[in-house]
């Protein structure tokens, strides 16, 4: 994999793209990415309805859609969905999944920071675990504001994965110990091997939110980009409960204690 220089945003973005392209192979096999139960699906539907309402044919742009997990949730609710991602391996899996399930989801290869989509063309924009990777979030938020229709809504689902609480740090250490002695397999959840985990951490140390994507900081940048009615929702308990059965006990508790959030903002 190409190394990057911290002095070059271009090189950093290339490494981010390469990392997620490499991750595509195992992405849908991991809890927290794909959905593994109807309870979890219902919890995600409830979060989307809470902030966006039912689709009723409205146009939705799912940015950094990956294998289209959120795109399918939006399609379930009646949105007319476009999934955009810059990783061809992710899009290949997204297209295959949609074809297998008989979904009419449009997929585009593109950059979430420079979508190339027309002004005021979407009623809704969504993204999950994208904001923490952004090189220039303020510029990106201006772009999303441009693409939304007046009155349109943005929903960001993300978290601070850098600044764990004391309890989260303890649970992480216990999960790592349990994995080391063979009692759990998910201490490196997300990255399929230690080398990829190191790449993930290197990327995390170089992006804008290298100090952690806190909800208040993200919300402040959204307001600066022109968004109004910015609402921070930290009640992710239903999603965490439904996901917990697919993690080891310690890993599930660790995730539930992280600062994870949804932010809804209106144009």
């Amino acid at each position: 994999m190409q190394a990057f220089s911290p002095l070059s945003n271009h090189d950093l973005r290339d490494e981010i793209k390469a990392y997620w392209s490499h991750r595509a192979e195992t992405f849908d096999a991991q809890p927290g990415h794909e959905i593994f139960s109807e309870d979890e699906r219902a919890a995600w539907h409830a979060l989307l309805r809470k902030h966006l309402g039912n689709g009723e044919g409205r146009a939705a742009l799912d940015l950094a859609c990956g294998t289209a997990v959120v795109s399918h949730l939006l399609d379930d609710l009646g949105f007319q969905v476009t999934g955009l991602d810059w990783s061809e391996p992710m899009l290949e899996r997204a297209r295959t999944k949609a074809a297998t399930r008989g979904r009419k989801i449009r997929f585009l290869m593109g950059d979430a920071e420079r979508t190339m989509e027309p002004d005021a063309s979407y009623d809704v924009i969504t993204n999950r675990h994208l904001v923490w990777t952004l090189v220039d979030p303020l510029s990106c938020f201006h772009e999303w504001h441009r693409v939304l229709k007046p009155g349109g809504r943005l929903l960001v689902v993300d978290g601070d994965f850098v600044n764990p609480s004391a309890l989260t740090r303890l649970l992480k250490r216990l999960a790592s110990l349990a994995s080391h002695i063979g009692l759990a397999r998910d201490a490196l959840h997300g990255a399929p091997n230690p080398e990829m985990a190191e790449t993930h951490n290197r990327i995390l140390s170089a992006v804008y939110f290298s100090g952690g994507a806190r909800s208040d900081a993200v919300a402040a940048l959204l307001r600066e980009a022109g968004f109004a009615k910015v609402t921070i929702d930290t009640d992710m308990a239903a999603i965490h409960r439904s996901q917990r059965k697919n993690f080891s006990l310690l890993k599930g508790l660790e995730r539930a204690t992280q600062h994870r959030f949804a932010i809804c903002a209106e144009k």
Side-chain angles (χ1 to χ4, degrees):
M1 181 176 293
Q2 177 184 349
F4 72 88
S5 162
L7 300 178
S8 169
N9 285 345
H10 176 73
D11 290 345
L12 172 58
R13 285 164 52 81
D14 282 349
E15 176 136 5
I16 293 169
K17 181 177 181 178
Y19 173 80
W20 288 109
S21 293
H22 190 82
R23 287 281 304 277
E25 184 178 354
T26 58
F27 192 84
D28 280 346
Q30 295 183 330
H33 294 161
E34 182 56 280
I35 292 172
F36 289 90
S37 72
E38 290 308 309
D39 286 347
E40 183 180 355
R41 193 180 313 280
W44 279 108
H45 284 159
L47 180 72
L48 294 172
R49 282 196 182 97
K50 177 180 180 180
H51 295 289
L52 305 176
N54 286 317
E56 299 176 344
R58 289 180 293 151
L61 177 62
D62 183 24
L63 292 170
C65 68
T67 63
V69 176
V70 174
S71 298
H72 281 259
L73 294 168
L74 292 166
D75 185 72
D76 291 343
L77 299 182
F79 287 94
Q80 183 180 338
V81 185
T82 296
L84 183 146
D85 203 284
W86 64 356
S87 166
E88 182 57 35
M90 287 286 192
L91 287 176
E92 287 176 2
R93 286 161 175 80
R95 293 186 183 106
T96 298
K97 187 189 299 184
T100 300
R101 297 180 180 178
R103 303 299 186 93
K104 294 181 179 179
I105 300 173
R106 170 178 173 248
F107 292 105
L108 299 175
M109 176 173 284
D111 184 350
E113 298 191 39
R114 292 182 287 271
T115 68
M116 307 299 289
E117 290 294 272
D119 292 353
S121 51
Y122 291 94
D123 299 286
V124 162
I125 293 177
T126 60
N127 56 80
R128 183 180 69 164
H129 301 165
L130 165 64
V131 165
W132 74 265
T133 73
L134 295 176
V135 172
D136 184 357
L138 180 58
S139 175
C140 190
F141 295 167
H142 277 293
E143 168 71 358
W144 300 352
H145 189 274
R146 178 189 68 79
V147 171
L148 271 177
K149 297 177 182 179
R153 292 186 179 183
L154 165 71
L155 183 64
V156 170
V157 178
D158 223 289
D160 177 2
F161 311 120
V162 176
N163 299 295
S165 66
L167 176 58
T168 304
R169 289 195 299 272
L170 173 61
L171 290 167
K172 187 176 182 68
R173 286 196 296 269
L174 291 174
S176 179
L177 176 62
S179 177
H180 182 70
I181 62 177
L183 297 179
R185 300 180 181 180
D186 51 10
L188 291 175
H189 174 76
N193 56 58
E195 181 183 356
M196 289 297 291
E198 181 181 349
T199 300
H200 177 280
N201 290 335
R202 188 167 66 247
I203 289 170
L204 180 57
S205 72
V207 295
Y208 180 91
F209 288 113
S210 60
R214 303 297 296 182
S215 57
D216 54 351
V218 176
L221 286 176
L222 288 169
R223 294 187 185 98
E224 187 175 346
F227 284 96
K229 298 181 182 178
V230 179
T231 303
I232 298 173
D233 183 357
T234 58
D235 184 8
M236 310 289 284
I239 293 171
H240 293 151
R241 280 196 304 271
S242 63
Q243 291 176 338
R244 198 171 298 164
K245 67 186 72 173
N246 298 302
F247 290 106
S248 66
L249 173 63
L250 292 170
K251 194 65 178 179
L253 291 172
E254 176 199 331
R255 286 173 63 87
T257 60
Q258 290 175 325
H259 177 62
R260 293 173 179 262
F261 53 84
I263 300 178
C264 184
E266 187 172 314
K267 179 175 177 177

